[in-house]
Amino acid sequence: MSTVLFEQGEHRCVAFNDLVRGEHGVQANQFLIMNGKHSAVLDPGGALLYNPLILEMGNFVPPHEVDYVLCSHQDPDVIGSADKWLLYTQATIVCSRLWGRFVPHSVPGYMQNSGPDRYHLLEDKGEWLTLGDARIRALPAHFMHSVGNFSFYDETSRILFSGDVGASLVPTGEPYRIVTDGFTEHSRGMGGFHRRYMASNRVVRLWVDMVRRLGPDMIVPQHGLPLRGQAMADFLEWLERLECGVDLLGPNDYLVD
């Protein structure tokens, strides 16, 4: 299923959700940013999602003409289909420099046109990327949860695509919608994941401070529902107070029975 998150002139942002079939894959969202004849797909997923995503994307752009495959981090549900994007498109894969030598492990060595020139590797500080007349900023989100992690901010729509940050557990088949209020109820599907997968309260506070300075109109995670308005403000306040990751560990977590 697809949901248009933003549309103005030749610029459009689209979310794809609920494409995983069966009970064995983690449900994840994929995203498409279009500016004129240029486009970027964000966190397209693995082989489980490639065909369903291509079919949905075909309603908006010819998939083989995608300019960028933007990867927030290295997990299979983000970039497990790298070989197919390299084989069937001319897209450049954008990811952290830390993962530049790991992502190719999912690409058969005999594949042509899959060398280093097909990758754009980001330094830790991130950078601006040009997409037609638009710009996308790769923003540091390291250790949330990956050691080389990025959020992607679309300057035109003011949407922050946050990867796993802000992820929520949503039942399969629940309508994709923007959460604008009722964050307390929504957060019940967020706590366990964020406490385990975010590295520490220090790093989440740094990210929250950066996001507040940025002032996005919407935060759109890879899993679950997007946040806007009061719900987005409540989420940032909740996250900056969250004890997580190494904050929660002690001697009893490293015992030998």
Side-chain angles (χ1 to χ4, degrees):
M1 297 177 62
S2 61
T3 302
V4 176
L5 298 172
F6 177 89
E7 186 171 19
Q8 187 177 83
E10 292 192 320
H11 197 86
R12 185 186 289 179
C13 298
V14 182
F16 304 98
N17 74 293
D18 207 19
L19 297 183
V20 174
R21 297 294 176 260
E23 302 296 326
H24 302 295
V26 174
Q27 198 61 254
N29 307 317
Q30 301 76 45
F31 307 100
L32 180 67
I33 301 175
M34 294 168 284
N35 185 271
K37 296 182 179 180
H38 298 276
S39 58
V41 60
L42 286 76
D43 292 350
L48 186 66
L49 282 171
Y50 181 77
N51 287 338
L53 177 59
I54 287 294
L55 291 174
E56 288 288 337
M57 281 180 57
N59 295 317
F60 298 93
V61 298
H64 67 277
E65 294 182 3
V66 168
D67 295 71
Y68 291 121
V69 176
L70 304 179
C71 309
S72 59
H73 55 292
Q74 81 292 350
D75 282 358
D77 65 326
V78 169
I79 195 53
S81 58
D83 58 332
K84 293 178 173 58
W85 289 98
L86 291 172
L87 179 62
Y88 297 118
T89 79
Q90 294 301 310
T92 297
I93 293 179
V94 179
C95 65
S96 167
R97 184 168 294 280
L98 291 179
W99 307 123
R101 296 181 66 185
F102 291 86
V103 174
H105 277 269
S106 64
V107 180
Y110 57 79
M111 261 183 54
Q112 301 295 315
N113 194 27
S114 61
D117 60 312
R118 298 293 303 279
Y119 294 84
H120 182 83
L121 304 181
L122 299 167
E123 302 294 344
D124 281 349
K125 65 181 181 180
E127 63 180 86
W128 285 101
L129 301 166
T130 300
L131 185 71
D133 295 327
R135 297 197 305 169
I136 299 171
R137 183 62 161 89
L139 292 165
H142 311 307
F143 296 95
M144 300 179 68
H145 64 102
S146 170
V147 297
N149 199 54
F150 285 93
S151 304
F152 290 97
Y153 175 68
D154 174 38
E155 185 180 46
T156 303
S157 66
R158 295 179 54 219
I159 292 176
L160 178 63
F161 295 95
S162 57
D164 278 347
V165 186
S168 56
L169 297 178
V170 177
T172 298
E174 179 169 329
Y176 191 78
R177 60 184 176 83
I178 299 171
V179 179
T180 57
D181 54 21
F183 177 75
T184 299
E185 177 68 24
H186 181 70
S187 68
R188 293 176 183 172
M190 303 174 75
F193 174 83
H194 284 76
R195 280 190 289 270
R196 179 65 188 228
Y197 283 88
M198 305 294 114
S200 71
N201 179 256
R202 178 186 178 190
V203 75
V204 298
R205 283 188 286 111
L206 290 170
W207 187 85
V208 167
D209 288 344
M210 177 187 69
V211 171
R212 284 181 173 146
R213 291 194 303 271
L214 184 70
D217 183 62
M218 195 187 311
I219 293 177
V220 179
Q222 186 203 1
H223 305 278
L225 304 177
L227 302 166
R228 191 177 201 171
Q230 188 59 50
M232 184 176 72
D234 291 346
F235 164 65
L236 293 175
E237 184 177 344
W238 173 84
L239 186 61
E240 74 175 342
R241 298 197 312 265
L242 187 71
E243 287 191 324
C244 51
V246 296
D247 304 330
L248 305 176
L249 293 175
N252 288 338
D253 296 296
Y254 294 86
L255 297 176
V256 178
D257 293 333

